[in-house]
């Protein structure tokens, strides 16, 4: 009776759900078109040759860290078995897995469009050079996407087929493989930058660790923002999320800040080549973004909010904290990737520090906006067509609602 | 195994290791080498990108200041950082120890551009390919977008000689090019006596382009 009152249904989906899915699919298509439009525009715009890795690579890193970070956060449930005091975590873990899987797609879209010949990326698989960190990124991304998809499929299929659920340690085994994949992706991504001896501000093993801290913060905050609209009506889950993510943010921000301070202090000892970058960050051209967006908006305010909500539990403040962390996370990736390319040391008989200017082209900005649209719309499609609620069984083709 | 199109003059055996010594004191800063290279290799001069160019440096303060011209190009490293980072194997070392880029295999990720400590690589974009076609017509040598760099004129090897265009054009004789296998070659002597020095030897890249400078360069640099 209720269904009839709600109007048109198709395969069990309400008209509202069908509308959202169709609307989201249109946005997915439009965003892909926009991304290629931005790419073509970028090709004919005035090129910024001195900063080869601009907003496209920043955006790619931002999404890749978000995806891997959210998978790390999910591993608290899948690997370490923490399910909340009353099993609240089980209510949204499948959404978390879907979020991790879908968030890697805009990263791939941006990194492919950062290539001069995007469709030739297959050469990485056809004729790989194993010494290249980018080759390893391709291999590890394939492993990661495969494992994350298997984890999500396991979660969906185990609700329908009891015998899958009963296989001992299956969930944990898959969870461990996903965790290995994401840590490998994250650390290798750090070493894409960290293995370049030509870029002293990037060079070294510290980038990998920095990326892991950064990924956890970005992943947890973005996951919270995306899942809130779905879980907003569930009071007990809301309260759990508020406290659980508060704890995550407080610990994450503390570790991140400590590590960032250590990096800056270490840079002081490489005065000739690395320090100019941090000088710019601390009291030069990069200072407004560093102090204003990365530190104040992206760390201090979220930390204060998270300390408050850890005790009092306020989901709306938590959402604000998460949004600020995402903004701060993006700003920090922008600074850490673009600034060292602007202030690059060259030795031609004597040391010279370049001072290249950089502002993203219109094409790159369009590509980034397209990736964000693509991401949100793709998440919405999966959230509706996949059975991601707790104990929800798939009705169509084993995996669809 | 491919044959080396550039063979030492009078030798039938291909050279295994080409090298160049740059006599900084003899460079006049006339940019003839840049012009020759631009025409030879169709580099995108419209974007002011070159395979080789000349740095104009000033040292010290008046009245003790001095000005020198330093030609820049790919160092043809024996252990090139750009080679190891290339994900598709587009960057290769061919016979003669020359580092080249297979433009069809290059996907344009620009990892090698970031990896080169000497800033010797640049992107030959889609628009540059188009402009090259408009400028050079059927003689264009750049077919698709790729990362470009100095190859000691490996691709063109005009007249089947072994001399790159910049060396042939240099009016001051500042560029000495030769086969490092040949102990009688001038460049080999400059390398072996230590007169020609590597830039950034601490990087351990083993560059085959070295600099001879017989001046005291104390003082600040004004670029």
């Amino acid at each position: 009776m209720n269904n009839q009152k709600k109007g048109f249904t198709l395969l069990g989906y309400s008209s509202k759900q069908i509308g959202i899915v169709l609307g989201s699919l249109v946005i997915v298509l439009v965003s892909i078109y926009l991304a290629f439009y931005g790419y073509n525009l970028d090709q004919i715009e005035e090129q910024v040759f001195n900063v080869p890795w601009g907003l496209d690579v920043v955006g790619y890193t931002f999404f890749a860290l978000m995806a891997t970070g959210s998978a790390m956060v999910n591993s608290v449930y899948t690997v370490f078995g923490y399910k909340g005091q009353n099993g609240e975590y089980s209510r949204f873990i499948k959404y978390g897995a879907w979020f991790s899987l879908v968030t890697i797609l805009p990263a791939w879209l941006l990194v492919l469009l950062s290539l001069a010949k995007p469709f030739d990326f297959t050469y990485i698989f056809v004729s790989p050079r194993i010494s290249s960190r980018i080759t390893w990124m391709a291999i590890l991304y394939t492993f990661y996407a495969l494992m994350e998809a298997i984890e999500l499929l396991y979660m969906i299929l185990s609700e329908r087929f009891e015998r899958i659920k009963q296989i001992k340690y299956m969930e944990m085994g898959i969870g461990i493989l996903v965790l290995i994949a994401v840590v490998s992706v994250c650390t290798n991504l750090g070493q894409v930058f960290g293995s370049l001896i030509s870029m002293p501000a990037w060079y070294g093993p510290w980038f990998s660790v920095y990326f892991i801290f950064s990924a956890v913060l970005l992943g947890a905050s973005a996951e919270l923002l995306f899942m809130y609209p779905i879980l907003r009506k569930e009071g007990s889950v809301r309260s759990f999320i508020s406290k659980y993510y508060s704890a995550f943010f407080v610990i994450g921000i503390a570790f991140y800040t400590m590590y960032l301070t250590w990096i800056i202090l270490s840079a002081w000892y490489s005065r000739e080549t690395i320090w100019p970058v941090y000088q710019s960050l601390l009291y030069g051209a990069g200072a407004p973004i560093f102090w204003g967006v990365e530190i104040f908006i992206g760390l201090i305010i979220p930390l204060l909010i998270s300390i408050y909500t850890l005790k009092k539990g306020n989901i709306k403040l938590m959402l604000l904290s998460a949004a600020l962390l995402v903004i701060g996370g993006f700003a920090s990736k922008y600074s850490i990737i673009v600034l060292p390319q602007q202030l690059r040391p060259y030795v031609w008989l004597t040391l010279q520090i370049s001072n290249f200017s950089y502002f993203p082209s219109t094409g790159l900005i369009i590509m980034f906006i397209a990736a964000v649209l693509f991401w949100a719309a793709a998440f919405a499609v999966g959230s509706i067509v996949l059975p991601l609620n707790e104990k929800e069984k798939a009705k169509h083709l084993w995996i669809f609602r | 195994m491919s044959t080396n199109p550039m063979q030492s003059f009078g030798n039938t055996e291909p050279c295994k290791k080409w090298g160049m010594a740059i006599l900084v004191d003899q460079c006049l800063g006339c940019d003839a080498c840049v012009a020759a290279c631009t025409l030879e290799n169709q580099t995108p001069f419209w974007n002011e990108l070159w395979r080789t160019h000349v740095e104009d440096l000033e040292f010290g303060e008046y009245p003790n200041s001095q000005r020198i011209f330093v030609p820049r190009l790919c160092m043809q490293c024996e252990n090139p950082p750009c080679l190891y980072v290339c994900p598709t194997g587009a960057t290769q070392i061919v016979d003669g120890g020359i580092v080249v880029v297979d433009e069809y295999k290059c996907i344009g990720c620009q990892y090698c551009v970031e990896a080169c400590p000497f800033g010797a690589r640049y992107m030959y974009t889609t628009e540059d390919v188009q402009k090259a076609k408009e400028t050079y017509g059927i003689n264009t040598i750049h077919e698709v977008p790729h990362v470009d760099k100095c190859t000691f004129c490996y691709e063109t090897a005009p007249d089947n000689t072994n001399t790159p265009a910049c060396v042939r054009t240099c009016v001051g004789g500042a560029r000495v090019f030769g086969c490092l296998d040949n102990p009688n070659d001038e460049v080999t002597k400059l390398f072996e006596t230590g007169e020609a020095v590597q830039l950034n030897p601490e990087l351990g890249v083993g560059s085959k382009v070295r600099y001879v400078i017989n001046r005291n360069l104390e003082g600040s640099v004004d670029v």
Side-chain angles (χ1 to χ4, degrees):
Chain A
M1 282 298 281
N2 278 344
N3 277 348
Q4 282 173 346
K5 275 181 190 171
K6 281 175 189 168
F8 175 74
T9 61
L10 181 69
L11 297 168
Y13 295 103
S14 69
S15 54
K16 187 181 170 189
Q17 285 174 322
I18 292 167
I20 294 172
V21 169
L22 290 177
S24 300
L25 286 174
V26 169
I27 295 173
V28 165
L29 293 175
V30 169
S31 61
I32 292 172
Y33 170 78
L34 262 182
F36 277 92
Y37 174 77
Y39 172 78
N40 285 325
L41 196 61
D42 183 54
Q43 296 295 305
I44 55 166
E45 275 178 302
E46 195 177 328
Q47 301 284 318
V48 186
F49 294 101
N50 297 320
V51 180
W53 288 352
L55 183 64
D56 43 0
V57 175
V58 173
Y60 150 67
T61 310
F62 172 71
F63 282 117
L65 292 183
M66 199 179 270
T68 51
S70 75
M72 285 181 213
V73 174
N74 295 340
S75 71
V76 172
Y77 176 98
T78 54
V79 178
F80 302 103
Y82 177 69
K83 298 192 164 128
Q85 283 176 330
N86 302 306
E88 295 94 338
Y89 214 149
S90 313
R91 307 281 283 274
F92 62 90
I93 186 62
K94 278 184 256 175
Y95 284 103
W98 169 240
F99 179 82
S100 305
L101 186 61
V102 84
T103 304
I104 205 66
L105 300 180
W108 288 352
L109 182 67
L110 283 173
V111 77
L112 284 182
L113 295 180
S114 75
L115 304 177
K117 291 181 271 183
F119 295 109
D120 283 3
F121 80 94
T122 46
Y123 276 120
I124 300 176
F125 295 99
V126 176
S127 116
R129 179 168 282 151
I130 296 301
S131 59
S132 171
R133 294 285 174 174
I134 289 184
T135 304
W136 281 101
M137 282 317 302
I139 296 167
L140 290 169
Y141 274 139
T142 310
F143 177 53
Y144 162 69
L146 198 67
M147 292 321 301
E148 192 62 66
I150 289 173
E151 183 175 61
L152 186 64
L153 274 177
Y154 167 80
M155 287 174 178
I156 292 171
L157 293 174
S158 62
E159 297 289 1
R160 190 181 159 117
F161 302 103
E162 198 59 34
R163 63 179 183 279
I164 295 178
K165 208 173 201 169
Q166 283 166 357
I167 302 172
K168 216 174 178 184
Y169 301 124
M170 180 90 161
E171 185 179 13
M172 187 194 272
I174 297 171
I176 288 171
L177 287 173
V178 170
L179 187 58
I180 290 170
V182 291
V183 172
S184 308
V185 165
C186 214
T187 48
N188 192 66
L189 181 58
Q191 282 315 101
V192 166
F193 299 93
S195 59
L196 294 178
I197 200 164
S198 53
M199 303 288 283
W202 287 345
Y203 186 67
W206 63 271
F207 232 95
S208 295
V209 185
Y210 172 77
F211 270 10
I212 288 180
F213 288 137
S214 202
V216 170
L217 276 180
L218 268 175
S221 46
E223 201 172 279
L224 177 64
L225 284 175
F226 268 63
M227 285 190 304
Y228 176 72
I230 297 157
L231 301 166
R232 69 182 189 279
K233 287 177 185 163
E234 302 195 32
S236 62
V237 178
R238 228 168 46 186
S239 156
F240 168 77
I241 285 180
S242 172
K243 297 212 166 171
Y244 175 72
Y245 280 95
S246 296
F248 237 108
F249 288 173
V250 171
I251 296 167
I253 292 170
F255 273 100
Y256 178 89
T257 309
M258 189 183 72
Y259 198 67
L260 189 65
T261 311
W262 181 78
I263 290 167
I264 294 170
L265 289 177
S266 305
W268 172 259
Y269 292 97
S270 301
R271 295 188 65 84
E272 282 193 326
T273 52
I274 304 177
W275 187 241
V277 172
Y278 288 92
Q279 217 172 3
S280 168
L281 211 60
L282 295 174
Y283 43 87
I289 291 182
F290 180 72
W291 290 112
V293 186
E294 192 180 337
I295 302 296
F296 187 69
I297 292 176
L299 289 177
I300 294 174
I301 297 179
L303 180 67
L304 295 175
I305 293 175
S306 302
I307 291 170
Y308 174 79
T309 50
L310 189 60
K311 299 232 171 200
K312 307 275 179 185
N314 183 328
I315 190 75
K316 294 223 165 115
L317 278 176
M318 271 308 291
L319 289 174
L320 174 66
S321 169
L324 295 179
L325 272 168
V326 170
I327 294 167
F330 179 78
S332 66
K333 300 306 144 305
Y334 189 90
S335 298
I336 209 76
I337 292 173
V338 171
L339 211 55
Q341 295 179 82
Q342 292 180 280
L343 298 164
R344 189 176 169 161
Y346 291 107
V347 175
W348 290 100
L349 298 184
T350 52
L351 177 71
Q352 298 168 39
I353 302 288
S354 63
N355 192 7
F356 302 130
S357 61
Y358 177 74
F359 191 79
S361 67
T362 315
L364 287 183
I365 293 170
I366 291 173
M367 272 162 60
F368 183 74
I369 292 169
V372 174
L373 287 174
F374 175 87
W375 174 46
F379 179 78
V381 172
S383 301
I384 289 171
V385 302
L386 297 172
L388 301 178
N389 291 322
E390 189 186 14
K391 291 181 182 160
E392 187 177 8
K393 288 185 171 62
K395 288 178 189 149
H396 302 104
L397 299 171
W398 297 289
I399 56 166
F400 294 107
R401 212 171 240 171
Chain B
M1 198 164 166
S2 60
T3 53
N4 188 342
M6 299 191 292
Q7 299 187 335
S8 279
F9 183 76
N11 288 338
T12 50
E13 284 298 308
C15 177
K16 287 182 185 146
K17 204 160 134 183
W18 293 101
M20 187 187 286
I22 293 171
L23 314 178
V24 176
D25 295 341
Q26 286 180 225
C27 179
L28 312 174
C30 67
D31 282 341
C33 53
V34 181
C37 174
T38 302
L39 287 173
E40 188 83 25
N41 299 297
Q42 301 177 4
T43 59
F45 60 87
W46 43 85
N47 280 327
E48 296 186 11
L49 291 170
W50 327 98
R51 286 188 177 192
T52 185
H53 77 277
V54 182
E55 289 278 356
D56 183 348
L57 304 178
E58 278 181 35
F59 289 81
E61 285 182 15
Y62 181 83
N64 298 316
S65 60
Q66 47 181 324
R67 187 181 182 195
I68 59 167
F69 301 101
V70 185
R72 287 175 54 167
L73 67 160
C74 169
M75 296 285 112
Q76 304 294 349
C77 308
E78 289 191 67
N79 193 20
C82 57
L83 179 91
Y84 301 117
V85 300
C86 178
T88 62
T91 295
Q92 304 157 10
I93 298 183
V94 291
D95 297 345
I98 300 168
V99 182
V100 300
V101 179
D102 178 340
E103 68 175 64
Y104 293 99
K105 266 181 141 181
C106 176
I107 57 174
C109 66
Q110 302 195 66
Y111 200 12
C112 55
V113 179
E114 297 284 10
C116 176
F118 304 102
R121 288 174 167 242
Y122 61 87
M123 189 70 212
Y124 209 103
T125 63
T126 311
E127 203 194 2
D128 292 332
V129 171
Q130 194 55 42
K131 278 195 178 159
K133 280 179 185 160
E134 287 165 14
T135 311
Y136 301 105
I138 56 166
N139 295 319
T140 183
I141 56 173
H142 299 281
E143 301 281 339
V144 289
H146 62 284
V147 167
D148 198 40
K149 66 178 283 298
C150 165
T151 58
F152 282 165
C153 294
Y154 178 84
E155 302 98 328
T156 49
D159 313 315
N160 206 25
T161 63
N162 59 356
T163 316
C166 57
V167 180
R168 294 200 308 271
T169 320
C170 183
V171 290
R175 294 180 185 237
V176 183
F177 183 74
C179 180
L180 296 171
D181 302 336
N182 183 354
N184 298 319
D185 223 319
E186 190 188 347
V187 72
T188 314
K189 288 176 187 165
L190 287 168
F191 273 44
E192 286 183 353
T193 55
E195 272 189 84
V197 295
Q198 291 186 55
L199 296 178
N200 289 27
E202 71 281 2
L203 293 176
V205 295
S207 47
K208 297 198 290 292
V209 173
R210 298 188 183 179
Y211 289 78
V212 178
I213 181 155
N214 298 314
R215 291 194 209 182
N216 181 13
L217 293 177
E218 282 179 8
S220 60
V221 181
D222 181 17
V223 187

